[in-house]
Amino acid sequence: MNNIKVIAFDADDTLWVNETYFREAENEFAKLLSGYETENKIHQELYKKEIDNLKIYGYGVKGFVLSMVECALELSNYKINPKTIDKILEIGKEMLEQPIDLLDGVEEVLQKLQGKYKLIVATKGDLLDQERKLEKSGILKYFHHTEVMSDKKEKDYVKLIKHLDINPSELLMIGNSLKSDVLPLVALGAAAVHVPFHTTWAHEEVSNEQKSDSYKTVAKITEVLTFL
């Protein structure tokens, strides 16, 4: 940690609550479509549709809503009531209008690290939505800049490190996803801290074999202050 110059924070479920709203939306969607399939089957089909669409829509609420609409059409054999489609769109709008609920200790950490390191946000998702959330969060002032990435694989972090004009060993990433925020970084020689969130999207889960001792795991974000 002695070489660190830049600390990058993931946004969703690291700085503020996000995945909880997706789980709630999925449950609402399953209830809307319960006349066509079991709720368990609806959850499965929606997840498959989301994964299939990632390469087209990317991450974020808008792609999620489009996946819900497509899934509703297919599950109903294209007989879905237009009013149900309208309700699905409303679910999406409600997600986009959710208040920003900062996680415990986030602002304390940012206050104490600001000035000692260059702080940035490195997140993925819809650019407009992520910018909106940062504006509403009240913590934008702590960050040097925000990087909204189309994905968070090794090649994406290589671009980020080049853009920052630093060596990998000078970057620390803090995030809730082992798959997106931790493992790609340690593979590049950067440092990473895993701050688990109580809810994880299935797409972000990793096997026990992928886990290692090459990164730190903390129970809450304020623990990073003990070694920085």
Side-chain angles (χ1 to χ4, degrees):
M1 295 290 176
N2 293 334
N3 292 332
I4 302 301
K5 292 182 179 178
V6 179
I7 301 179
F9 290 83
D10 172 53
D12 295 334
D13 302 314
T14 299
L15 299 177
W16 52 66
V17 175
N18 177 68
E19 194 61 27
T20 303
Y21 303 135
F22 279 84
R23 297 291 80 78
E24 291 172 353
E26 287 169 355
N27 290 334
E28 284 187 58
F29 176 73
K31 288 175 183 175
L32 281 177
L33 274 290
S34 60
Y36 299 100
E37 261 295 354
T38 65
E39 291 194 14
N40 185 54
K41 177 69 171 177
I42 294 166
H43 281 290
Q44 292 176 356
E45 292 303 313
L46 176 57
Y47 177 71
K48 286 195 288 186
K49 183 62 66 177
E50 286 181 82
I51 300 305
D52 288 345
N53 283 336
L54 278 179
K55 60 184 178 294
I56 304 170
Y57 302 140
Y59 295 88
V61 174
K62 294 172 187 174
F64 175 65
V65 172
L66 288 169
S67 293
M68 284 196 291
V69 170
E70 287 183 33
C71 191
L73 289 168
E74 292 176 10
L75 286 173
S76 68
N77 198 25
Y78 297 87
K79 296 177 181 177
I80 195 83
N81 190 312
K83 289 183 178 179
T84 304
I85 298 294
D86 189 56
K87 288 179 181 177
I88 292 170
L89 296 176
E90 281 301 316
I91 290 172
K93 288 177 183 177
E94 288 174 7
M95 292 176 72
L96 291 168
E97 292 168 356
Q98 285 285 356
I100 303 305
D101 184 10
L102 288 181
L103 293 172
D104 290 344
V106 164
E107 190 152 17
E108 177 189 347
V109 169
L110 295 175
Q111 287 172 345
K112 291 185 176 178
L113 296 180
Q114 188 184 38
K116 297 179 182 178
Y117 305 91
K118 179 185 288 186
L119 307 182
I120 70 168
V121 175
T123 186
K124 63 184 178 185
D126 178 79
L127 177 61
L128 183 63
D129 187 31
Q130 296 295 52
E131 287 181 339
R132 176 193 61 81
K133 286 192 279 191
L134 268 167
E135 284 287 346
K136 290 176 68 175
S137 71
I139 57 173
L140 184 58
K141 60 189 176 186
Y142 296 108
F143 298 105
H144 182 268
H145 81 273
T146 302
E147 196 82 20
V148 180
M149 306 155 76
S150 59
D151 208 340
K152 281 184 164 181
K153 296 179 179 174
E154 284 184 40
K155 62 181 178 61
D156 303 294
Y157 284 111
V158 168
K159 291 179 184 177
L160 175 62
I161 290 166
K162 287 181 178 178
H163 176 67
L164 292 168
D165 194 24
I166 58 173
N167 295 317
S169 62
E170 296 172 320
L171 174 65
L172 168 64
M173 180 74 191
I174 298 174
N176 70 292
S177 170
L178 285 174
K179 182 178 179 179
S180 294
D181 304 322
V182 175
L183 297 179
L185 276 300
V186 297
L188 293 172
V193 176
H194 180 219
V195 190
F197 188 66
H198 60 79
T199 303
T200 302
W201 186 29
H203 182 62
E204 294 293 331
E205 293 177 354
V206 300
S207 65
N208 287 329
E209 289 74 22
Q210 292 174 278
K211 298 175 182 178
S212 71
D213 58 1
S214 58
Y215 54 86
K216 292 181 182 291
T217 297
V218 297
K220 52 186 179 181
I221 199 167
T222 50
E223 290 180 35
V224 303
L225 298 174
T226 63
F227 49 80
L228 286 174

